[in-house]
Amino acid sequence: MPVSQNSARLNLPYLQPSQAQKHVTHNEALRQLDLIVQLSVASINATTPPAVPDQGEIHALGANPTGDWAGQGGMLAAWLDNAWHFVAPDTGWRAWDESSNQMKLWDGGTWIDPPVATQNLNGVGIATGSDATNRLSVRSPATLLSHEGAGHQLKINKASTGDTASLLFQSNWTGHAEMGLAGSTGFSIKVSPDGGSWTDALSLDPATGTASGAAIQSSADDTTTGRLMRADYGYGPGNLLGTVSENSGTPSGAVIERGTTPTGDYVRFADGTQICTATLPATDCTAVEGALFASDPAVWDFPVAFAAGSNVAISGSGGGSTRFTGFDAPTETQVTVRVLASASDATALAPTVTAIGRWF
């Protein structure tokens, strides 16, 4: 079996027994070692030879180089002693790309970035250092997380209900605001003046969605400046008109309730005020009542009852300029009305009446 005259890996020429001018073979091997050991190239995927190359300058050629490099695609081209010398890279060779200041790897067909393991890393620091707690650390003006053609979610997961999954906002490494799931499954926002004492500004119940916290009105008479008004404590377009109600003397429904029954109209207010009005059947004033003339007595049933013990005030108009109304003492549900006049008047006119009191 013939003995190879070149090394198996780097194709370096061997010195042969009884070889003349052994220094030529030796120097050729040294020259190849000088080129490929600690390989550094001026460019990657080069196609056009430089006009004035430096001694020892090396280029990693692209697939279709031109000029003096024609037909040498994929080779390493080294300028030595005023001529280009070509060396074929082997799979796995590494070269420092001087043009991009990056390490490159020959994979048998092209120069690629060396593969980097990205699974189960102990930590990653981008422009800063990571540590055991902050295993991913980034120092930059901004951090971009973008979609891949559709939506995008940022997920913060915790092990159990009592743990925390949140975003913490700091100033000079002191926490001043935090939002997320802090010790529960309810979303909350906390604020702090010094990073030590914290106030729950807003908490949302995960089952009902109702809000609580220092930023929310705590009771119907809580008028603290800057607090958000609760729907069940305050009033707005959605509950200004509707059914009024109360709970132990505290309004709990709409602000104004208006209604009509067969015996008149009524208005109820959230503070408990109630006003009833009606136009009674027309009547004359022909019956003698002492020095006056009067209508027959009529009982006005209030459209809605007043509260028990309520002090009901009654007023009315007799229906004409010469008439006036008189009333017996009212109850919570009705009052007796008579129209009076100073002279007999057979004209049938309709009196109007008003009752004011409280519904609670």
Side-chain angles (χ1 to χ4, degrees):
M1 178 177 180
V3 178
S4 173
Q5 298 184 11
N6 294 79
S7 66
R9 302 236 5 240
L10 300 181
N11 198 32
L12 302 177
Y14 288 142
L15 295 176
Q16 302 298 318
S18 303
Q19 177 181 344
Q21 296 186 327
K22 295 182 179 181
H23 65 281
V24 175
T25 300
H26 178 67
N27 289 342
E28 176 62 23
L30 291 178
R31 176 156 52 185
Q32 285 192 247
L33 287 174
D34 186 57
L35 292 177
I36 62 178
V37 174
Q38 302 294 343
L39 181 60
S40 180
V41 298
S43 63
I44 294 286
N45 294 322
T47 58
T48 304
V52 184
D54 294 328
Q55 175 73 3
E57 183 175 323
I58 304 175
H59 295 267
L61 305 187
N64 299 294
T66 60
D68 291 343
W69 294 345
Q72 301 294 332
M75 301 289 279
L76 296 172
W79 180 258
L80 299 172
D81 302 329
N82 298 318
W84 289 105
H85 296 261
F86 300 97
V87 176
D90 201 1
T91 301
W93 282 19
R94 289 170 172 79
W96 180 256
D97 180 9
E98 299 168 6
S99 62
S100 64
N101 290 324
Q102 289 184 326
M103 182 65 72
K104 295 293 182 177
L105 176 70
W106 179 255
D107 68 354
T110 187
W111 292 96
I112 63 171
D113 294 329
V116 177
T118 59
Q119 301 294 331
N120 295 315
L121 301 177
N122 291 327
V124 174
I126 301 176
T128 187
S130 62
D131 55 42
T133 300
N134 303 290
R135 295 179 183 176
L136 172 61
S137 299
V138 179
R139 182 167 65 94
S140 70
T143 301
L144 173 64
L145 301 173
S146 186
H147 66 85
E148 194 179 31
H152 184 89
Q153 288 182 316
L154 177 62
K155 299 181 180 180
I156 302 177
N157 183 51
K158 61 179 183 176
S160 63
T161 300
D163 296 325
T164 293
S166 67
L167 295 177
L168 176 64
F169 299 89
Q170 298 178 321
S171 177
N172 194 27
W173 307 111
T174 297
H176 290 285
E178 185 176 6
M179 65 180 184
L181 310 181
S184 71
T185 56
F187 184 82
S188 65
I189 298 176
K190 301 191 299 182
V191 291
S192 172
D194 53 15
S197 59
W198 291 84
T199 299
D200 283 326
L202 178 65
S203 296
L204 301 176
D205 187 285
T208 64
T210 55
S212 62
I216 305 297
Q217 192 178 23
S218 61
S219 64
D221 56 359
D222 180 5
T223 58
T224 305
T225 301
R227 286 188 173 169
L228 302 176
M229 181 179 291
R230 280 178 47 168
D232 51 345
Y233 293 151
Y235 297 94
N239 60 358
L240 188 62
L241 300 177
T243 301
V244 296
S245 59
E246 57 86 22
N247 183 8
S248 300
T250 299
S252 57
V255 178
I256 302 172
E257 177 183 339
R258 181 183 295 274
T260 299
T261 72
T263 59
D265 301 323
Y266 71 91
V267 178
R268 283 179 167 177
F269 297 91
D271 69 344
T273 302
Q274 178 171 289
I275 301 174
C276 295
T277 59
T279 299
L280 300 181
T283 185
D284 59 24
C285 290
T286 57
V288 177
E289 186 74 26
L292 299 173
F293 293 88
S295 67
D296 293 332
V299 175
W300 175 35
D301 292 320
F302 301 136
V304 288
F306 289 90
S310 176
N311 183 19
V312 180
I314 308 294
S315 62
S317 171
S321 59
T322 62
R323 298 183 178 187
F324 57 95
T325 52
F327 306 93
D328 292 342
T331 67
E332 290 85 6
T333 59
Q334 61 182 210
V335 65
T336 299
V337 183
R338 298 189 75 179
V339 179
L340 304 172
S342 58
S344 178
D345 186 352
T347 305
L349 299 174
T352 58
V353 288
T354 301
I356 301 176
R358 297 188 61 82
W359 61 271
F360 78 88

